[in-house]
Each structure stands twice: as structure tokens, then as C-alpha cells.
């Protein structure tokens, strides 16, 4: 089964009446069922004359612009209604119902757990569902259970995946949110963690309630604010420390973003470190596939760190990437780090490593208070399996980047060939060739006449 967490970056084209009708229906559903706070550029309707050829063409252009807006918006592009319109075959299942069935089977096999409430749509993945639960032996503690389908980048064998997931419960790092329970089935996985009442770092930046739907919270937040420099430096250094820890262990992450970070006692803790094991695409994959230099899990982590640093600084994600112009702030040391990761030059030629970022003036003198022992023992055989899986994941990414590069080249060539300026050039060239051909024909006539005359006078 295909697993498309985000629409492909290539432009989706509307070229028939059926597509137009389907998009109008999807648009109405998007407006009525989604509280996004975004003004969507849906073209106006017309009661009379709505079958005129000119109006239909105008309406089609407007709907094309509307579809471009939605598919290029990082959050709207994750909406289930949009995905069903673009790829009905792969998004027709009721994932909430599937998740409930799988979770119910788990609770029947382990009676100490009890579901308190479903946390509807708090994440951006369609195939990932959350439930607030409690352990009957510790009834005052609230924990969150996440269920998710395995993704296309799952390259570990079932046995190795199960073994690695079990290892996560023994992982000890002050900057990683502990895993209470983790298990995988034939096609899905289930993970339990403690529930953080304050929500994620993005919840705190956006000043929203953690249990609200992802699209409602983040599509167009009104009260965002950046962090103070001391918090940017502290949180940034803590995150770099945990990234280095995972890289040194040969453990692929690739899922760093503000919704995967929680703050507890002024300490950042990463969530969802199992995502790469389960084969799930990165939150930033639509961006990453555009840049062929971001082709390893380490470089994905650095690129994602750039996005997180931007969000911590400005209180919102960048409007577009690459980022070459930055809003004015008094933190010049922050901007220099952002430029080294998110600029056009960095995305084309390569970004710094985690170790190099830790040596910048922004993070080098940050003092860390945690001194507990770090624990994450991975057996040699499993370490080799992780290495092979990581290489397969990176190979698939590089193949997708190559395809996107070829597609963009073809699109640019077609756009250039179909431009008005190019059409004028071809018309001018055609006229020149036509004149040249006519001129040559005129010159050839006397020659042919003379040749024929000469032949008739030649004696036999």
C-alpha cells in the first residue's frame, strides 16, 4: 500500500470537468469541516451563464490557483480531504476505525490499561492516532498511546524492528522523552509515553491548547511569540546534544520539529525517536526532496534543526524555503546559524554538521546541568541491521530527489518552450526560414531554365 504523507511537490493539474467538480466538492468540505483560520482563494461562483466557455476557462484557472495554494501549504497539504481528492485509492480507508480495532486488541491482551479519551487529530499524520490512557495500577498518571501504520521506509526485518522497539524502553537520556511501552505488529506499531499537560514546544510558542486539532492550532495561529535568547541557546544546545548522541549510536532520527519537542523543567525532550524505524516520512520531506545535498539522516536532522531554530526565534515557521531574507531581530548570532542551514547556498552546497553547530558562538559556551549516565546499549548484530536500514532509507530518498530534479528540469523546459516570448521567437524564425526558402527558389528558376535550354541544343 502506498504511503503518501504529503502530496508530491510536482504541480497537480486540473484538465477535465470531472476533476473540477471533484475539487469544488472537496473545497466545500474543506471549508465546512476544517477550522484552519486561513483565507482560501476559492474563485467565485456564478448562477447565470455558468456554462459559458469563457467562464468555465476562467473558473478552471481559479481552481488551479486554489489547488496550487493548498498543495503548497505545509499544513493544508496534510489534510485528509485534500489527500482523498488527489489520491482516492490510497486514502479511502477509515484509519480511526482501524486504530480503534488495533488498540482494542492490545487492551484485551493487557488488562492493566484503560482508555480515557481519544485525542482526535492532534497530529498531522492521517495514519497515526492518539489516545489518552491510564495504568490502573497508577490511576493518577496520564499517558498517551500512539498507534501508527508502518511506512514505506521500514527496512528492518520484523524481528529486528521488534527488538529495537523494546530497546527504547531502556533508553536513558535527559533530552529524550522516556518510552513506557513499545511494540509492533504485522503492519502497525503502538507506543506509550507519559502525557505532558503543557503540550509540545510548538504549543507553547503558538499559545494553544495541546488537545486541539493540529490544523486548528497551527494553520494560522494569532498569538505566536519567539523565545528569549537565553532559551534559544539553552534549548538549541540540548537538542544538538541529543542529536549527536543518536548519530554516535548510528541511530537514525530525521523527525525533529517543534511538535516533537516537549519542555520539562527547562529541559528539551525529543519525541517519536522510533519514527524512522517504523519507516515514517519526515515532516519536512516535501522540502528535503528538493535539495540533493540533504541526502543523509544526519543532514536531515541539521536541516530540521534550522527550521526549529527559526521557529524558536520568530515564533512561526519560515514562509518559504530556502530562506535568504530574515526579519530584523537583535540576535545576529542566531541569524548567522540560520543562514548556514536554510539559505539557498547552504541547501545547494551543504550544511554544517551537528558538531560544527555546537562550536558556533551561539551554542559553544552554553552550560548543561545534566550529568546523569547516558544509556542506550545496542547489540552489535542489531547495530549492523540499523546501519543497513539507514543506508536503504537514504538510497530511497536520493532516488526520489533525482526524480524530482529530472521533473523540475522537464517542467522548466516545457514552460520555456510554451512561453509567449519563445512562441514569438519561433514565429520569427519560421518567417525567416520561409523567406530564405522563397529566395532560394527564385534563384534556382533561371538556373533550371538555362540548364534545360542547354540540353535541348545539344546534338544527339
Amino acid at each position: 500500500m502506498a504511503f503518501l504523507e504529503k502530496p508530491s511537490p510536482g504541480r497537480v493539474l486540473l484538465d477535465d470537468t470531472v476533476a473540477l467538480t471533484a475539487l469544488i466538492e472537496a473545497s466545500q468540505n474543506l471549508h465546512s469541516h476544517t477550522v484552519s483560520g486561513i483565507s482560501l482563494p476559492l474563485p467565485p461562483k456564478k448562477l447565470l451563464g455558468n456554462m459559458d466557455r469563457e467562464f468555465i476557462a476562467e473558473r478552471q484557472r481559479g481552481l488551479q490557483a486554489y489547488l496550487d495554494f493548498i498543495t503548497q501549504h505545509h499544513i493544508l497539504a496534510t489534510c485528509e480531504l485534500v489527500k482523498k481528492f488527489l489520491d482516492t485509492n490510497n486514502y479511502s480507508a477509515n484509519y480511526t476505525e482501524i486504530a480503534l480495532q488495533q488498540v482494542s486488541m492490545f487492551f484485551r491482551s493487557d488488562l492493566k490499561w484503560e482508555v480515557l479519551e481519544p485525542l482526535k487529530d492532534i497530529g498531522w499524520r492521517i495514519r497515526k492516532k492518539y489516545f489518552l490512557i491510564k495504568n490502573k495500577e497508577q490511576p493518577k498518571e496520564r499517558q498517551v498511546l500512539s498507534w501508527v501504520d508502518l511506512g514505506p521506509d521500514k527496512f528492518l526485518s520484523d524481528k529486528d524492528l521488534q527488538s529495537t522497539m523494546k530497546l527504547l524502553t531502556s533508553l536513558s537520556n535527559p533530552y529524550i522523552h522516556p518510552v513506557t511501552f513499545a511494540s509492533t505488529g504485522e503492519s502497525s506499531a503502538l507506543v506509550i509515553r507519559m502525557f505532558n499537560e503543557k503540550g509540545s514546544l510548538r504549543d507553547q510558542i503558538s499559545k494553544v491548547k495541546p488537545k486541539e486539532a493540529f490544523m486548528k492550532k497551527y494553520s494560522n495561529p494569532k498569538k505566536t511569540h519567539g523565545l528569549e535568547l537565553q532559551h534559544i541557546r539553552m534549548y538549541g544546545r540540548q537538542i544538538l546534544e541529543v542529536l549527536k548522541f543518536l548519530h554516535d549510536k548510528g541511530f537514525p532520527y530525521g523527525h525533529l520539529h517543534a511538535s516533537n519537542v516537549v519542555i520539562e523543567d527547562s529541559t528539551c525532550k525529543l519525541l517519536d525517536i522510533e519514527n524512522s524505524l517504523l519507516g515514517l516520512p519526515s515532516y519536512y520531506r516535501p522540502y528535503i526532496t528538493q535539495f540533493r545535498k540533504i541526502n543523509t539522516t544526519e543532514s536531515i536532522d541539521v536541516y530540521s534543526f534550522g527550521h526549529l531554530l527559526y521557529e524558536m526565534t520568530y515564533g512561526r515557521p519560515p514562509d518559504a524555503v530556502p530562506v535568504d531574507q530574515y526579519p530584523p531581530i537583535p540576535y545576529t548570532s542566531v541569524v548567522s546559524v540560520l543562514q548556514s542551514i536554510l539559505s539557498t547556498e547552504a541547501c545547494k552546497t551543504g550544511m554544517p554538521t551537528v558538531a560544527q553547530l555546537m562550536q558556533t558562538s551561539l551554542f559553544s559556551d552554553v552550560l548543561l546541568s545534566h550529568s546523569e549516565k547516558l544509556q542506550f546499549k545496542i547489540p552489535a548484530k542489531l547495530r549492523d541491521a540499523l546501519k543497513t536500514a539507514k543506508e536503504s532509507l537514504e538510497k530511497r530518498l536520493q532516488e526520489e530527489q533525482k526524480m524530482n530534479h529530472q521533473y523540475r528540469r522537464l517542467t522548466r523546459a516545457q514552460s520555456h518552450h510554451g512561453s509567449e516570448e519563445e512562441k514569438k521567437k519561433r514565429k520569427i524564425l519560421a518567417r525567416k526560414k520561409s523567406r530564405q526558402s522563397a529566395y532560394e527558389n527564385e534563384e534556382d528558376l533561371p538556373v533550371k531554365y538555362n540548364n534545360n535550354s542547354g540540353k535541348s541544343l545539344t546534338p544527339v
Side-chain angles (χ1 to χ4, degrees), residues 185-217:
E186 185 177 331
S187 61
S188 61
L190 185 149
V191 180
I192 298 175
R193 290 181 171 88
M194 294 300 297
F195 179 68
N196 189 298
E197 296 290 343
K198 294 181 179 179
S200 68
L201 176 58
R202 180 168 288 155
D203 290 331
Q204 295 183 39
I205 290 174
S206 302
K207 294 185 177 180
V208 294
K209 297 177 181 179
K211 292 183 182 180
E212 288 183 343
F214 188 90
M215 189 167 294
K216 181 179 181 180
K217 289 192 292 186

Side-chain angles (χ1 to χ4, degrees), residues 45-75:
K45 298 179 180 180
K46 188 176 182 181
L47 293 177
L48 300 176
N50 55 15
M51 297 304 293
D52 293 343
R53 183 171 296 181
E54 290 184 4
F55 174 76
I56 291 175
E58 180 183 350
R59 178 83 165 153
Q60 183 170 357
R61 288 191 296 271
L63 288 171
Q64 180 67 68
Y66 174 81
L67 182 57
D68 290 344
F69 177 86
I70 290 174
T71 55
Q72 291 168 17
H73 191 283
H74 197 70
I75 294 179

Side-chain angles (χ1 to χ4, degrees), residues 344-373:
T344 301
E345 182 67 19
C347 292
K348 286 185 177 181
T349 62
M351 293 167 292
T353 63
V354 168
Q356 289 170 337
L357 288 172
M358 292 170 71
Q359 294 303 314
T360 61
S361 60
L362 185 61
F363 302 115
S364 61
D365 60 348
V366 175
L367 298 177
L368 301 176
S369 58
H370 295 279
S371 58
E372 62 248 48
K373 183 179 179 181

Side-chain angles (χ1 to χ4, degrees), residues 253-284:
Y253 182 45
H255 291 267
L256 175 65
H257 57 86
S259 292
N260 272 351
V261 177
V262 294
I263 308 296
E264 293 180 355
D265 299 325
S266 299
T267 301
C268 277
K269 295 181 183 290
L270 295 195
L271 296 169
D272 290 359
I273 65 167
E274 71 277 0
N275 278 3
S276 286
L277 305 178
L278 303 177
L280 306 182
S282 166
Y283 182 69
Y284 296 115

Side-chain angles (χ1 to χ4, degrees), residues 173-176 234-248 270 305 354-355 358-359 363-364 366-368 370 374:
N173 186 296
Y175 310 121
I176 295 178
M234 177 61 73
Y235 297 160
R237 179 57 190 261
Q238 291 172 351
I239 291 167
L240 290 174
E241 287 287 336
V242 71
L243 291 179
K244 186 176 185 304
F245 171 79
L246 294 173
H247 294 176
D248 290 345
L270 295 195
F305 178 79
V354 168
M358 292 170 71
Q359 294 303 314
F363 302 115
S364 61
V366 175
L367 298 177
L368 301 176
H370 295 279
L374 306 183

Side-chain angles (χ1 to χ4, degrees), residues 447-460:
V447 173
K448 289 179 181 179
Y449 176 78
N450 290 336
N451 286 343
N452 290 336
S453 300
K455 285 180 182 179
S456 64
L457 296 174
T458 303
V460 178

Side-chain angles (χ1 to χ4, degrees), residues 4 6-12 71 83 86 286 289-290 400 404:
L4 301 174
K6 300 275 178 116
S8 300
R11 193 179 186 211
V12 181
T71 55
K83 291 177 180 295
L86 295 176
T289 53
Q290 305 303 303
E400 187 174 346
N404 282 341

Side-chain angles (χ1 to χ4, degrees), residues 102-113 181 190:
Q102 297 287 332
V103 172
S104 297
M105 290 175 60
F106 166 72
F107 282 121
R108 282 200 296 267
S109 63
D110 195 338
L111 299 176
K112 69 181 179 183
W113 299 103
F181 177 86
L190 185 149

